[in-house]
């Protein structure tokens, strides 16, 4: 049977190209995929200028002479004036173990430091960290402490392949469209469609390339990850234009997106929409404008902190709070799957996907502090009781607290967070020479950088004094930064906002 074309002169050529492209054998494609997977992806840094220009290559070093940049096509090293730089994004191999922490310190100015709590006295806080050894932070610059973080329980980290993921076929939408056209008398494509469907298995809507999931067009990618009731989902999203990405959380299926139970988040043109899907019906939980989704951002770090206990969902973009849905309701039948549904046409990439069990608080510390008193220290316990008074010290697993002139002790394991009233002051603008180093795993530190070379960066911080950090701890360097907004992203002990101090919402 021959295809009969009526006013669709472009279709024969288009299908010829489609079928020709689909003739690559499965064995050949598998070989290519295996070769790509076995070859480590080169780590490429990116330098972004204030005028918007970008330069890819390797951030070699920094010293009094400025930034030294290596480009494969240019000899010798390039010397770049720091005054012309907006941000440097660095790709480094990160440690896979030993990065857990039990405390997050929020500093005046908005920086956050994660580590294991050693103690607090009238002068300083002491944290043990993998990236900078023992840090001593001046108490005068300390806003709050968030406690109770435990060793990460990682549910999924990757991707490393498509194994275990349910992938929809990329041409299914085209098939439906053409069948409708054929039913209307415009085409008789039976043989063409049958042949194309045979080749369709070699053209999935998603594929794995160089440590990332890459879309080949519209389609879904799903897996039952056994999402915990409190979880953190993080990933890098790269696309051209608007994301047009749907994310299904706690879905009770992986091979479809209709007739299921799930929370559905749609990241679209400058807006984020959240719906609660129950079988064949869908109810809006709310939408909000998101300026970062304006189509100009080619790469975003997306974070989703879900708490079924608190019935809340928080969206983070580039490690800052984008929106919080405080009441997402309940699903009549809850699953534990995660589904990505791409609805665009241009390529989209998802990488550095990490799903973990959340172990920290979700609530807004600002509101709690303002509701009681900003003139005294405030302690919130795990049962959400709050007490105000004076935190005298933290030592040997006990918080020494003065409550209405009466000294008491509270076990650290009973404390969720501590807010220190003395830090209620305007955030000073950092000096012109300061940079902000953003941790790959969570938080940031603002400092005057003296030297970046090899595996070490040195400098001086107003709250920590002279510092020495491992360069592998950081993912970017912001030049001439404004006062930081708390990222509120305990994105890991591996991977990270918020009116008192701009609503820090801790994600776990």
């Amino acid at each position: 049977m021959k295809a009969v074309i009526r006013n669709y002169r472009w279709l024969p050529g288009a299908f010829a190209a489609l079928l020709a492209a689909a003739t690559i054998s499965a064995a050949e494609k598998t070989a290519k995929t295996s070769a790509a997977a076995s070859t480590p992806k080169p780590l490429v840094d990116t330098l972004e200028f204030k005028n918007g220009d970008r330069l890819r290559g390797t951030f070699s070093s920094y010293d009094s002479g400025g930034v030294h940049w290596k480009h494969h096509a240019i000899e010798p090293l390039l010397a770049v004036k720091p005054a012309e730089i907006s941000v440097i994004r660095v790709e480094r191999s990160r440690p896979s173990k030993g990065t857990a922490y039990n405390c997050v310190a929020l500093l005046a100015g908005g920086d956050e430091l994660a580590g294991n709590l050693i103690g607090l006295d009238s002068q300083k806080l002491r944290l043990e960290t993998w990236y900078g050894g023992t840090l001593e932070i001046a108490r005068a610059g300390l806003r709050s402490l968030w406690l109770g973080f435990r060793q990460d329980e990682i549910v999924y980290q990757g991707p490393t392949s498509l194994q275990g993921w349910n992938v929809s076929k990329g041409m299914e939408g085209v098939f439906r469209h053409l069948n409708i056209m054929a039913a209307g008398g415009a085409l008789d494509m039976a043989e063409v469609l049958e042949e194309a469907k045979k080749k369709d298995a070699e053209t999935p809507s998603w594929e794995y390339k160089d440590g990332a999931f890459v879309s080949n067009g519209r389609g879904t990618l799903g897996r039952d990850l056994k999402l915990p009731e409190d979880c953190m989902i993080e990933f890098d999203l790269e696309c051209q234009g608007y994301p047009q990405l749907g994310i299904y959380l706690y879905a009770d299926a992986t091979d479809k997106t209709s007739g299921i139970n799930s929370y559905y988040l749609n990241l679209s043109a400058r807006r984020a929409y959240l719906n609660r899907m129950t079988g064949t019906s869908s109810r809006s939980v709310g939408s909000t404008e998101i300026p970062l989704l304006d189509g100009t951002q080619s790469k975003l770090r997306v974070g989703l902190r879900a708490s079924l206990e608190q019935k809340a969902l928080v969206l983070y973009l580039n490690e800052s709070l984008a929106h919080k849905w405080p009441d997402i309701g309940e699903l009549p039948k809850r699953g534990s799957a995660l589904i990505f549904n791409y609805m665009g046409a241009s390529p989209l990439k998802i990488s550095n996907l990490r799903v973990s069990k959340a172990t920290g608080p979700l609530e807004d510390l600002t509101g709690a502090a303002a509701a009681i008193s900003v003139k005294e220290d405030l302690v919130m316990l795990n049962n959400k009781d709050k007490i105000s008074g004076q935190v005298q010290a933290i030592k040997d697993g006990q918080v020494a607290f003065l409550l209405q002139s009466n000294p008491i002790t509270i076990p650290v394991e009973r404390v969720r967070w501590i807010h220190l009233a003395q830090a209620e002051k305007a955030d000073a603008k950092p000096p012109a020479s300061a940079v902000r180093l953003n941790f790959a795993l969570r938080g940031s530190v603002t400092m005057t950088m003296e030297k970046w070379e090899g595996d070490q960066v040195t400098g001086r911080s107003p709250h920590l004094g002279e510092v020495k950090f491992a360069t592998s701890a950081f993912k970017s360097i912001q030049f001439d930064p404004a006062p930081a907004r708390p990222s509120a992203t305990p994105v890991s002990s591996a991977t990270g906002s918020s009116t008192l101090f701009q609503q820090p919402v801790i994600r776990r």
Side-chain angles (χ1 to χ4, degrees), residues 197-267:
K197 285 180 179 180
K198 292 179 182 178
K199 301 296 183 181
D200 188 37
E202 299 175 14
T203 317
S205 58
W206 293 83
E207 59 184 324
Y208 172 79
K209 288 182 180 179
D210 299 326
F213 292 136
V214 181
S215 71
N216 289 320
R218 301 181 181 186
T220 61
L221 176 70
R223 180 170 176 172
D224 189 352
L225 293 174
K226 308 299 181 186
L227 294 177
E229 291 192 355
D230 287 296
C231 76
M232 185 71 216
I233 301 170
E234 310 155 80
F235 58 91
D236 289 332
L237 175 65
E238 296 182 60
C239 62
Q240 298 297 323
Y242 302 121
Q244 301 184 69
L245 179 67
I247 305 169
Y248 294 79
L249 305 170
Y250 300 102
D252 60 356
T254 61
D255 58 347
K256 59 181 179 179
T257 57
S258 59
I260 66 173
N261 293 281
S262 175
Y263 297 104
Y264 172 61
L265 177 65
N266 183 355
L267 303 180

Side-chain angles (χ1 to χ4, degrees), residues 81-146:
K81 297 178 181 179
E84 302 299 325
I85 301 174
S86 172
V87 63
I88 295 177
R89 305 189 188 280
V90 293
E91 298 289 342
R92 298 290 183 271
S93 297
R94 319 291 183 197
S96 58
K97 296 182 179 180
T99 59
Y101 54 85
N102 61 21
C103 175
V104 174
L106 173 64
L107 311 184
D111 284 334
E112 294 178 358
L113 295 170
N116 290 308
L117 177 63
I118 298 175
L120 172 74
D121 58 27
S122 61
Q123 299 298 316
K124 60 182 178 294
L125 168 73
R126 299 182 72 224
L127 290 179
E128 185 65 31
T129 70
W130 71 268
Y131 52 83
T134 300
L135 301 181
E136 295 189 348
I137 305 168
R139 179 164 173 161
L142 183 63
R143 279 179 166 174
S144 60
L145 289 176
W146 295 78

Side-chain angles (χ1 to χ4, degrees), residues 66-81:
V67 169
H68 305 286
W69 192 264
K70 181 179 180 180
H71 191 278
H72 73 279
I74 302 175
E75 293 285 352
L77 291 178
L78 296 173
V80 185
K81 297 178 181 179

